[in-house]
Amino acid sequence: MSFPAGKTVDKRDNSILAGLEPAIFFGFFEELSAIPRGSYSEKQVSDHIADFARARGFEVYQDEIYNLLIKKPGTPGYENSPTVILHGHTDIVCESDEGVDHDFKNEGIKLQVIGDFIHGTGTTLGADNTVGVAFAMSLLASDDVPHPPLEVVLTVQEEVGKGGAQHFDGTKLSGKRLLDMNWHDPKSLFAGCAGDISVRFKIPVQWEPRVSEQTALSLRISGLSSGHSEFDIHLERANAIVQLGRLLRIVIRDTGARVAEVKGGVNRYVIPGEAEAIISIDASRIVDLRQRIEAEAASIALEYNASDPNLKVTVSESGRQFTQVFSAQSARALVDALNLLPNGVQSKSLQVEGLVESSNTVALLSSDEEAIEIVNTVPSAVSSRRYNIVDKIRQLSELIGNGASVETFADCPEWPYNPHSRMLNAAKAAYEREFGEQPHVEVSHSSLELGLFRKKVLDIDMLSIGPEAFDVHTTRERLNHTTVDLTWRLLKSLLRELRT
């Protein structure tokens, strides 16, 4: 399939996306983009969509955490067809470039169109999953698209452990066929994915007085390519938290520096692009520290020159005021954990060529008065592999000691590929009818909410489609607007195919 050439954007009526087709989709996409909707802050967007649906006379269920279920009857001739569940999620990853002051709790995304792509302005775009919600609203608002009865499920907290899907009451669903709109490749049908689990690794902090004559410095690593911790894990990009651990090991061992604070990462499903440590050091050792950091930073830059060409390590004076530093034992436990936690690809599938089977991302790092916390995300297409990685992390905590502990949460099962899926075969037929060629069928290392719906609805049959998007979960996120109409055409054709 070849993509159509991009269109010149008509900016009349102050609309950034006016002139793009399908107009109904881009109208809703822009409308949603104006609403703040970070994870745990979905009430406003949920209320907006619920009001939109009620105004059209549809049955609406909104639960206490703002998941939505909207029911629309089938169109003439499809009234008695098997119900189709249409799924997306309302929350987005909120991240901004260094120096960009964007209040995600009170501001929507400022869109811009550059050639064939829609971007944010120094922030994530939120195409993941504003796309799915805009398609759902387009179908709900359309009166010229034949379709079976629809149950539109829009979940919350997907980007922070799939909390909405975990909470959603599956007994309210009558449909057994689910079409998810959270895929990013219009040339393929997404037909299976990994499950995942999150792991909170905690190290209690013991404190010692800081030597007041020492200098406070910020050791920071930034400029990394980052990316989605599941879609992009095979690209072997540098992890800022892991590399900070590598640098701290040298700093502590060779210069006697003490650590007062650590932080890094933005979300459990994002490869960390930045991390920082606040350290305290004798002024006489600062030159030595800089030399050692520069040498190690040069090695890291060489190792990742292809994946992370903009990697930057800086040492600068910190204005932070503090009177305590981690004890030597706590700092050692921190460094051991950051350097020994599994990170990146852990196994490849022996059944699907090129597919990552299991991985771990050291995703978030923070410290407070009581503990250092390191949050990991562990996806795997095979449950036993997932739990084996968790067990290795637990063993590491036992070896490190110092009161280190492991807690798991947000356990989501995998969605196994089924080559005999009615949804998949109907989508293949619809795709070939629309585009004159067979689609690629994709099974991915990413973990979607679909494994949870598989547990909630017996014998559910699922598929995911979507337009082309790149670098989701990063400030480079962009949506190829020329591919949206391709997905819209496929969506309408597939709904016609699902008449029986």
Side-chain angles (χ1 to χ4, degrees), residues 334-374:
L334 165 68
V335 167
D336 286 349
L338 294 183
N339 282 282
L340 296 177
L341 278 166
N343 182 72
V345 176
Q346 300 297 300
S347 64
K348 293 282 191 75
S349 172
L350 299 179
Q351 296 176 317
V352 180
E353 185 177 356
L355 178 67
V356 175
E357 181 181 69
S358 65
S359 70
N360 183 50
T361 295
V362 179
L364 293 169
L365 171 67
S366 62
S367 62
D368 59 22
E369 289 295 318
E370 296 183 353
I372 299 161
E373 182 173 289
I374 309 166

Side-chain angles (χ1 to χ4, degrees), residues 469-486:
F470 296 98
D471 291 320
V472 297
H473 294 185
T474 77
T475 57
R476 302 184 308 281
E477 183 181 8
R478 57 204 183 277
L479 172 66
N480 185 340
H481 62 74
T482 71
T483 68
V484 171
D485 190 55
L486 303 176

